[in-house]
Amino acid sequence: MFTDISMGASVLGKHFSVKDRHRSVLHEQLSLKYIHEEQTLYIKWDGEVSSSELRQGYAHIMNMVFTYKPQKWIMDLQNRHTIEKEDQQWVFKYIFPEVLRAVNKNVFVAIVMPVFAYNSLVNEIDGDELIDGDNLMIIHHFLYQEESRRWLREMAETDLKIA
């Protein structure tokens, strides 16, 4: 489900036509919502995701980024199957730098995922992808969503004091 919780708006129609036969597959694999009260973008991937579906999903995510410019993200990957190494690198090389340019502030990403998957996610990046001028993308791994929310609140408070 792709929704803006406080406005109830669906962004699904912006990327798919009624005739798109792949719509239901992606709809089952990606939940995306922005909650205004928390100023947080929630992303949840489930199941097996092909390269094409991953890119399609990130088109939805970027639509939300351009619309709301969220500094705080919770990305729940607990139930997503492992994606190809090239797809992981694509996200870090192309998506995250674009996010930093669009938001134009520090971005805090709380990733909720099983411990065994964490090393493969961050092993191949050099960090340049997570910097744009004076802005940083700070990524932290969590086992539980509540823990990630607490960290995001602390990071947002710290970032506001520094700014």
Side-chain angles (χ1 to χ4, degrees), residues 4-155:
D4 172 333
I5 290 301
S6 71
M7 301 173 100
S10 172
V11 296
L12 187 61
K14 293 182 180 181
H15 295 284
F16 292 104
S17 72
V18 176
K19 297 177 183 177
D20 190 338
R21 61 186 161 169
H22 300 293
R23 175 180 172 179
S24 64
V25 174
L26 186 60
H27 184 73
E28 293 169 4
Q29 295 168 309
L30 178 63
S31 294
L32 180 61
K33 62 186 174 183
Y34 181 77
I35 300 181
H36 287 274
E37 295 80 31
E38 298 178 21
Q39 297 180 335
T40 302
L41 178 63
Y42 285 84
I43 302 163
K44 183 175 182 185
W45 288 96
D46 287 307
E48 194 169 335
V49 180
S50 70
S51 291
S52 174
E53 291 163 340
L54 184 80
R55 283 159 175 72
Q56 218 175 24
Y58 274 100
H60 287 290
I61 292 167
M62 290 308 298
N63 183 58
M64 296 293 268
V65 168
F66 291 131
T67 302
Y68 300 106
K69 313 248 186 272
Q71 280 188 269
K72 299 185 294 182
W73 295 31
I74 293 181
M75 188 176 297
D76 186 340
L77 306 177
Q78 291 181 88
N79 297 316
R80 186 188 74 186
H81 295 176
T82 304
I83 61 172
E84 295 293 326
K85 184 176 179 178
E86 294 79 24
D87 292 329
Q88 289 176 359
Q89 291 172 340
W90 177 82
V91 172
F92 279 94
K93 186 174 181 181
Y94 296 105
I95 297 300
F96 287 167
E98 187 64 29
V99 167
L100 279 170
R101 284 189 289 275
V103 175
N104 200 28
K105 294 180 182 175
N106 291 333
V107 176
F108 304 97
V109 181
I111 300 178
V112 182
M113 62 192 302
V115 174
F116 70 85
Y118 183 66
N119 284 339
S120 67
L121 180 68
V122 297
N123 219 13
E124 298 295 323
I125 62 169
D126 61 19
D128 290 342
E129 303 90 346
L130 307 177
I131 301 170
D132 183 57
D134 291 335
N135 299 313
L136 303 172
M137 178 173 283
I138 300 166
I139 300 173
H140 197 65
H141 169 262
F142 298 93
L143 295 175
Y144 305 101
Q145 197 173 103
E146 191 51 47
E147 188 182 17
S148 69
R149 291 170 122 163
R150 190 172 26 257
W151 177 77
L152 284 175
R153 283 191 298 270
E154 290 171 9
M155 291 298 99

